[in-house]
Amino acid sequence: MASQPDRDTPHLRNLWYFALPGAKLKRAKMTDTVLLGEPILLARDSQGQPFAIRNICPHRGIPLTHGRFDGAEVECGYHGWRFNGEGRCTAIPSLTEDQKLDVNRIKVRRYPCREVQGNIWVFFGDEDRDTGYPPEVPDIGDQKPKLVETQVFACEVDHAVVGLMDPAHGPYVHAAWWWRSRRSMHEKAKTFAPAPLGFQMVRHKPSSNSAGYKVLGGEISTEITFKLPGVRVEHIRAGQHVLCNLTAVTPTGEGTTLVNHAIYWTQPWLTPLTPVFRRFAKTFLGQDRVMVTKQQEGLRYNPNLMLINDADTQAKWYYRLKKEWQRCQTEGGDFVNPVKETVLRWRS
Ligand code: FES
Ligand SMILES: [Fe+2]
């Protein structure tokens, strides 16, 4: 059975999005980005707290990142208006003593911003509909990631997400002796269950064609969870230890998507291998990025696309989850997870 993916659905609101690896934002520094089509100034104050405000000066519209940040307030580079981390204006230098303008009433939009397990997340939506917390990786406490690989994909967010959860591209896109190849392809059956705002490939022993897992040592099992808006957590148990891959997809501007891949582990002996893991992450993500770039050459002609059983069932769930989230946001009511427990079978 084939079906046509939904096109052009708006970005999901009232959710937390991965903005930046925390290590990329030093104390008393600011940086500019575009997330969900909105210009954002991300900064870390001198106490170490990150914040996010709209990167447009309300006076004449210049991006505030062209100004200065002293670790507490941002000063616009054009006329020196100052804004604090709440986005509130604190000073307009051109005002004379007797000119009574309540500068505090001038604001730039502030976005809820949190740093969790070493990554900075921003909430997009109505603050009073904030459903809680950015996604967390289980069993690693407040550890920071050992490494984060960031790449920009030249595609809409849906293609990046669907590409990440696609089980059939591995032997073609990521073929490698230590991972998998066409010759090692075999039939697989995996049990899936609904999970909060998503679904989960329930804990199982990894495929026999994934030699890469062996370096972890101990009895190995893995569980993969996907959650809206586009966050995948692979939780690998290896004996007493844990290795987790967090992949988060965030739409940026027109037709581009930010993909962040963070790796955490508790095995101390893996730490000297960090450069090797970094290389693998770069290669892996790069292979996906190259593929979606090539895909754009075809998508330009707006072809009909297919989602087939069972290899594309996770992609179908993603579109259904999105639709249900949208319904909830517009009509209200509880989110009803459309995923039912099931076994999916494919060859890879
Ligand atoms: S444009 Fe920012 S202070 Fe005038
Ligand atoms: Fe991939």
Side-chain angles (χ1 to χ4, degrees):
M1 208 183 74
S3 73
Q4 178 69 14
D6 291 323
R7 293 276 183 83
D8 306 322
T9 46
H11 298 316
L12 301 180
R13 311 284 300 178
N14 300 325
L15 290 166
W16 286 89
Y17 284 86
F18 192 115
L20 192 75
K24 293 254 168 75
L25 192 56
K26 303 276 178 261
R27 256 168 217 253
K29 294 279 181 234
M30 62 177 170
T31 184
D32 67 306
T33 183
V34 176
L35 304 174
L36 283 77
E38 301 181 27
I40 309 286
L41 176 155
L42 286 169
R44 187 188 291 286
D45 67 21
S46 33
Q47 266 82 56
Q49 257 344 315
F51 66 85
I53 58 176
R54 183 170 158 83
N55 192 18
I56 301 278
C57 181
H59 184 213
R60 293 265 227 289
I62 191 172
L64 289 166
T65 44
H66 290 307
R68 291 194 307 201
F69 178 52
D70 62 6
E73 293 182 344
V74 178
E75 182 186 271
C76 180
Y78 207 165
H79 312 92
W81 293 21
R82 295 177 69 84
F83 300 88
N84 65 19
E86 294 290 304
R88 208 172 279 282
C89 183
T90 57
I92 296 183
S94 65
L95 291 175
T96 62
E97 197 75 34
D98 59 325
Q99 288 168 344
K100 295 278 171 262
L101 181 73
D102 187 2
V103 299
N104 275 248
R105 289 177 58 182
I106 301 168
K107 282 181 220 157
V108 289
R109 178 162 181 195
R110 133 200 204 268
Y111 296 81
C113 177
R114 285 195 187 136
E115 190 163 22
V116 177
Q117 297 173 322
N119 295 308
I120 298 172
W121 299 75
V122 172
F123 181 81
F124 285 82
D126 311 326
E127 276 192 50
D128 47 352
R129 297 185 74 170
D130 178 355
T131 46
Y133 220 64
E136 268 191 82
V137 175
D139 296 331
I140 57 110
D142 57 3
Q143 254 199 71
K144 291 185 166 70
K146 302 294 192 228
L147 64 108
V148 188
E149 172 64 17
T150 305
Q151 294 194 16
V152 178
F153 283 26
C155 67
E156 290 295 346
V157 67
D158 288 351
H159 286 294
V161 174
V162 166
L164 280 176
M165 58 177 48
D166 170 11
H169 76 293
Y172 295 89
V173 178
H174 304 299
W177 64 265
W178 50 272
W179 186 242
R180 47 195 60 178
S181 70
R182 286 176 222 196
R183 258 175 305 147
S184 70
M185 273 175 82
H186 63 273
E187 188 172 318
K188 288 173 193 161
K190 300 272 154 75
T191 305
F192 286 81
L197 291 190
F199 54 87
Q200 184 170 72
M201 182 193 283
V202 303
R203 189 163 290 285
H204 61 282
K205 289 210 164 107
S207 297
S208 53
N209 59 353
S210 307
Y213 284 118
K214 295 200 177 106
V215 297
L216 303 180
E219 180 80 4
I220 294 176
S221 66
T222 170
E223 168 193 276
I224 301 174
T225 309
F226 174 81
K227 179 177 193 168
L228 291 178
V231 182
R232 176 189 190 270
V233 175
E234 181 181 18
H235 182 282
I236 303 166
R237 212 178 271 296
Q240 300 302 305
H241 286 281
V242 164
L243 182 142
C244 292
N245 289 297
L246 167 86
T247 316
V249 168
T250 308
T252 52
E254 227 2 59
T256 56
T257 297
L258 206 57
V259 182
N260 278 284
H261 186 98
I263 311 183
Y264 300 83
W265 60 73
T266 59
Q267 298 88 331
W269 67 88
L270 287 183
T271 302
L273 292 176
T274 306
V276 181
F277 278 95
R278 191 181 297 283
R279 230 207 133 88
F280 285 166
K282 203 180 262 309
T283 304
F284 242 69
L285 226 48
Q287 288 164 335
D288 288 319
R289 182 174 43 77
V290 165
M291 206 42 77
V292 299
T293 306
K294 290 178 178 167
Q295 185 188 21
Q296 292 305 308
E297 295 170 20
L299 293 182
R300 209 180 296 143
Y301 300 94
N302 207 23
N304 287 329
L305 306 177
M306 296 163 76
L307 293 172
I308 64 152
N309 283 346
D310 284 354
D312 292 336
T313 295
Q314 295 177 73
K316 287 190 203 174
W317 287 340
Y318 166 65
Y319 288 112
R320 280 193 215 138
L321 285 159
K322 273 184 78 171
K323 202 176 258 175
E324 173 59 8
W325 181 255
Q326 295 288 46
R327 190 203 57 74
C328 246
Q329 302 309 304
T330 50
E331 295 166 22
D334 289 340
F335 177 84
V336 182
N337 194 320
V339 178
K340 301 275 172 280
E341 181 163 337
T342 182
V343 174
L344 298 181
R345 295 166 61 235
W346 66 82
R347 282 172 49 80
S348 70

